[in-house]
Every structure is written in C-alpha cells, then in structure tokens.
Amino acid sequence: MNQQLLAKTFVELADNLVADFDLIDFLRLLTDRCVSMLDASAAGVLLADRDGKLRVMAASDEQVRLLELFQLQNDEGPCLECFRTGTPVIVPDLVREVGRWPRFATAAHRSGFGAVQALPMRLRDETVGALNLFRATPGPFDPSGTPIAQALADVATISLLQQRSSQRSTVLNEQLQTALNSRVLIEQAKGKLAERQNVDMERAFTALRGYARAHNRRLSDVARAFIDGSEPFPGLAA
C-alpha cells in the first residue's frame, strides 16, 4: 500500500472538517482513493436522505453506480443490510449468496464483480450510510485493508456531521438534501456533456470535476451553469 497516498488521503478528508467543502466531490475522492489504495476494483457510497431512504451519492465508475441503483431499486443486497444493521457485511464470493440476494448477486456477477464488502458510515449509534468496496475476483479480502477502509469511512462520517449543534439532525438532513439536489444537477450536466462531445458518462464527469477544481469552484455550481448555458466554459473538454 502507498503509505504516502494513505496519509495524504486522511489529511484531505480531515481538511474538510473546517472547509466549506463540496460534498459530492468529497465523496468521489473517498471512492477513488479506496480503489487506488485498497483491495477493490470499484467503490460506491450510499447516504440516507432526510426520510432515511438511501441514495447513491458517489461511485468510482458508472458500472458500480448502476449496480448500486439496482440494489436500491430491488431493496436487497449487502450495502442495504450494512446500513440497516450498522455492521460490516463482507462477502468473499457473491455467487454463493444467490439464495440470500438473488437479484443483486446475479446483477453483480453480470457486471463483473465477484466479491463485496460494505462498511457502515457510523458515528456512535447513528448510521448515515455505507461505503461499498467491490472486487472483480472472488476470494477473501485483505485483512489489513478492511480496518483502513473503515477508518476512511469513519473520517468521512465525521466530516458529514462536523456542523452538528443542538439541532444536529436538522443540520445533517439539510446538508444531505442539498447534496442530493446537487447530485441531480451533476447527473444532468454529465449527460449533456457526454451527448455534446460523444463521450461516456465517466469521462464527462471527470471533465466537469477537473474544470471545477481548476477554477476553484463547486462542482454543483459548474453543473448548474453548464445546464442553463449561462457561461461559455472555454476549455471544458472530455
């Protein structure tokens, strides 16, 4: 494991404790680093909205985003179980879990994933979501990587809850709802850019994210302006 990258990741995640951070970009950083550093082919993050319903908030690639959506639509899978119980769910071989999650296990196999571990995003007795790590090949996960992944999930959870006060739940719900609204804008902008430049959704997202970072702007603000055509966006290319 790249120890320097690991240390940098913890610093970047902790830096959001005091910064006015872009939650969507923050969670995408979390998924990307999990794939870069840990025994994972892809990663996703599910968060609960104000009604307690899970939503896909970040994914390292489009394939896993669609699988996470499939999981929510069919109301079965390790990530939902992890969120509901507040405990890790580790599945070394998804083929063996067809009886447990028939639709999800089959869909995951078709998507090219053979194993998954879902880790709760939890602070004390409150679970706000789940960090999900997928691997292409079945087999046991690296036992040294799971505690690190859980630590990353814990830091991310603290960042989500950092503005808590006497009305902490209200603050969190408003923050998550804002992020959910931003997610819709970003998906629309991805689709528009992908169609305009004839590229896939992942390259469109990377271009929008890169433009936002290069110009020190929130990703959701860039997405909104791109959708309504209020700015020319020179140099935005996927």
Side-chain angles (χ1 to χ4, degrees):
M1 181 180 296
N2 188 326
Q3 296 297 326
Q4 289 185 332
L5 182 59
L6 177 62
K8 180 182 178 182
T9 300
F10 276 111
V11 169
E12 288 175 322
L13 293 177
D15 186 53
N16 288 283
L17 294 173
V18 294
D20 180 19
F21 66 96
D22 187 324
L23 181 56
I24 300 298
D25 193 49
F26 169 75
L27 293 174
R28 180 57 187 258
L29 171 69
L30 174 63
T31 60
D32 287 351
R33 292 297 171 79
C34 283
V35 173
S36 298
M37 298 184 298
L38 304 176
D39 186 22
S41 305
V45 172
L46 303 180
L47 290 182
D49 63 15
R50 66 179 62 180
D51 298 319
K53 186 175 181 179
L54 284 175
R55 306 285 187 179
V56 180
M57 296 303 298
S60 61
D61 60 48
E62 189 68 11
Q63 189 78 355
V64 78
R65 187 184 76 85
L66 294 175
L67 181 60
E68 297 277 43
L69 286 172
F70 180 89
Q71 181 175 197
L72 296 180
Q73 291 166 355
N74 288 275
D75 195 33
E76 66 167 45
C79 309
L80 276 75
E81 185 173 312
C82 171
F83 173 73
R84 289 165 179 166
T85 63
T87 58
V89 176
I90 300 177
V91 184
D93 190 350
L94 278 164
V95 172
R96 297 185 177 183
E97 303 296 337
V98 172
R100 186 178 181 184
W101 307 303
R103 291 183 293 270
F104 173 79
T106 301
H109 180 70
R110 289 175 178 171
S111 298
F113 299 116
V116 61
Q117 59 176 341
L119 304 172
M121 297 182 69
R122 182 188 63 227
L123 182 64
R124 300 184 182 91
D125 60 349
E126 182 174 5
T127 304
V128 300
L131 170 64
N132 313 306
L133 307 181
F134 296 84
R135 201 181 55 215
T137 56
F141 284 85
D142 181 358
S144 65
T146 299
I148 293 174
Q150 185 63 69
L152 292 170
D154 291 343
V155 171
T157 303
I158 293 171
S159 292
L160 292 174
L161 299 172
Q162 57 92 14
Q163 294 183 7
R164 63 186 178 175
S165 61
S166 58
Q167 297 179 331
R168 175 170 62 87
S169 60
T170 300
V171 172
L172 175 61
N173 287 338
E174 290 176 352
Q175 184 185 42
L176 294 184
Q177 195 61 45
T178 298
L180 286 168
N181 295 338
S182 297
R183 180 79 258 177
V184 172
L185 286 172
I186 292 166
E187 289 301 316
Q188 291 175 346
K190 281 169 53 180
K192 182 176 179 179
L193 183 61
E195 181 179 6
R196 177 176 294 181
Q197 299 192 2
N198 194 28
V199 297
D200 59 36
M201 296 285 278
E202 187 63 25
R203 290 182 62 186
F205 176 83
T206 300
L208 289 166
R209 187 188 190 195
Y211 188 94
R213 287 188 166 189
H215 293 81
N216 195 28
R217 297 178 59 182
R218 294 174 66 87
L219 180 57
S220 56
D221 292 339
V222 170
R224 181 181 292 105
F226 181 72
I227 291 169
D228 62 28
S230 59
E231 298 181 30
F233 290 102
L236 177 59

